[in-house]
Amino acid sequence: MTAPASVSVSARQPVHTHHVEGFGTVTITPVDPAADSALIHSWVTQERARFWGMGEASRELVQEIYEDVDRRTTHHAYMVSRDGEQVALFQTYDCAEDRVSECYEVRPGDVGVHLLIGPIEGAAEHGFTGALMTAFIGFVFSDGTARRVVVEPDARNTKAVARMERAGFVLGPEVVLPEIDLPEVYLPAKPARLAFFNAPGAASATG
């Protein structure tokens, strides 16, 4: 899962480091569109990532998409490493500034997330995704402003929905995220299953 030798290495520094006992050290670093687009492209164009919605995208388009994300203050993308090896793509966004806001009543402190695990060589490692989720949730809640994590996996992706439940998310309603057709980005309508994870001490609610 390391980047091809021809790809430049990002000089960006991690914004969060989390040691997960028995798993390793997880580092979360902002995506560098130029340096990371080749690796991201190799992940999102695989059949296993079909619900990510970028199966036909070129490397150039992937770079353009993450350059657009990089310019935003409401949406953020991160490369995730485990003991120095890049293993996942993690994205966060302000739910009030995203199309998901048309599908449920957004509350102050709601932070949406997307997660794409990179391809794993050999047999699947038990607890791998759960360990990463521990680091991600710790990161989202680390600044004290987030009150609830919101996910909206494709409703047809039953494995992802079940994974969120195992991680402690409370399932919410099934919705249809509306189409977005703008010059800088196009997103088709998507059936999604909302799920929620409250910050420690926050009132339990599913929206």
Side-chain angles (χ1 to χ4, degrees):
M1 287 180 285
T2 55
S6 60
V7 176
S8 60
V9 177
S10 174
R12 297 190 178 188
Q13 297 300 307
V15 294
H16 187 75
T17 301
H18 190 117
H19 181 73
V20 181
E21 189 67 32
F23 181 76
T25 299
V26 177
T27 55
I28 300 175
T29 305
V31 164
D32 181 328
D36 297 327
S37 60
L39 180 59
I40 295 173
H41 177 260
S42 74
W43 290 354
V44 300
T45 53
Q46 294 189 11
E47 169 60 22
R48 61 185 294 278
R50 63 189 180 281
F51 292 115
W52 200 255
M54 297 172 66
E56 302 300 321
S58 65
R59 189 210 60 78
E60 291 76 15
L61 178 57
V62 169
Q63 181 170 333
E64 290 175 6
I65 288 171
Y66 285 96
E67 286 173 344
D68 178 68
V69 173
D70 204 39
R71 288 188 290 268
R72 296 173 182 263
T73 59
T74 57
H75 292 62
H76 307 279
Y78 305 93
M79 294 301 296
V80 181
S81 298
R82 174 199 190 186
D83 295 335
E85 180 183 11
Q86 293 173 309
V87 296
L89 173 65
F90 182 60
Q91 298 179 201
T92 65
Y93 58 91
D94 181 347
C95 291
E97 300 297 329
D98 189 84
R99 62 177 177 168
V100 74
S101 65
E102 299 184 32
C103 301
Y104 84 107
E105 185 177 348
V106 178
R107 297 182 177 182
D110 277 1
V111 177
V113 304
H114 297 298
L115 169 64
L116 177 65
I117 303 294
I120 300 173
E121 296 181 4
E125 181 179 343
H126 179 70
F128 186 90
T129 301
L132 289 181
M133 289 298 299
T134 297
F136 299 152
I137 290 172
F139 169 54
V140 172
F141 291 140
S142 62
D143 68 356
T145 62
R147 304 302 297 158
R148 187 168 63 165
V149 175
V150 181
V151 294
E152 28 93 340
D154 193 298
R156 298 162 294 187
N157 190 351
T158 55
K159 288 184 178 180
V161 174
R163 186 182 301 130
M164 293 301 103
E165 277 197 287
R166 291 196 301 272
F169 281 76
V170 176
L171 294 184
E174 195 168 308
V175 300
V176 177
L177 301 180
E179 178 187 51
I180 292 179
D181 191 2
L182 299 173
E184 67 274 15
V185 63
Y186 172 76
L187 295 172
K190 184 185 86 168
R193 184 67 183 269
L194 298 181
F196 306 86
F197 190 100
N198 290 285
S204 178
T206 59

